[in-house]
Amino acid sequence: PYQIFCLAEDDWVIQAQASTKSINYVAPTMPNKGKLSASYALLTAIGVQTTLDNSPPSFTQLSIVDPTAYNTKIIVTFQLNE
């Protein structure tokens, strides 16, 4: 069985300060942080999720386009057998 639990914090306020040039931009007071207790409550409310497939996923395709082909992006393609 897999146990997956994810908690995240939105750091947009920290990252946006240096790059925002709009006169209409109003900075938030702090990062949009989720509480760990709220995440555990959601985990408890959802409960155990069971699937019929017990085999772990695996990559069936993983490729990257030459990183020097573009100046503005890196193209990565991957596919799972799920």
Side-chain angles (χ1 to χ4, degrees), residues 19-65:
S19 63
T20 304
K21 296 177 176 55
S22 171
I23 60 171
N24 297 319
Y25 175 72
V26 177
T29 56
M30 59 183 12
N32 182 15
K33 185 174 183 177
K35 293 183 178 181
L36 182 60
S37 60
S39 298
Y40 276 122
L42 178 62
L43 177 66
T44 303
I46 292 173
V48 175
Q49 300 296 308
T50 305
T51 64
L52 297 176
D53 185 5
N54 290 324
S55 60
S58 62
F59 285 104
T60 56
Q61 176 188 3
L62 179 59
S63 64
I64 183 168
V65 174

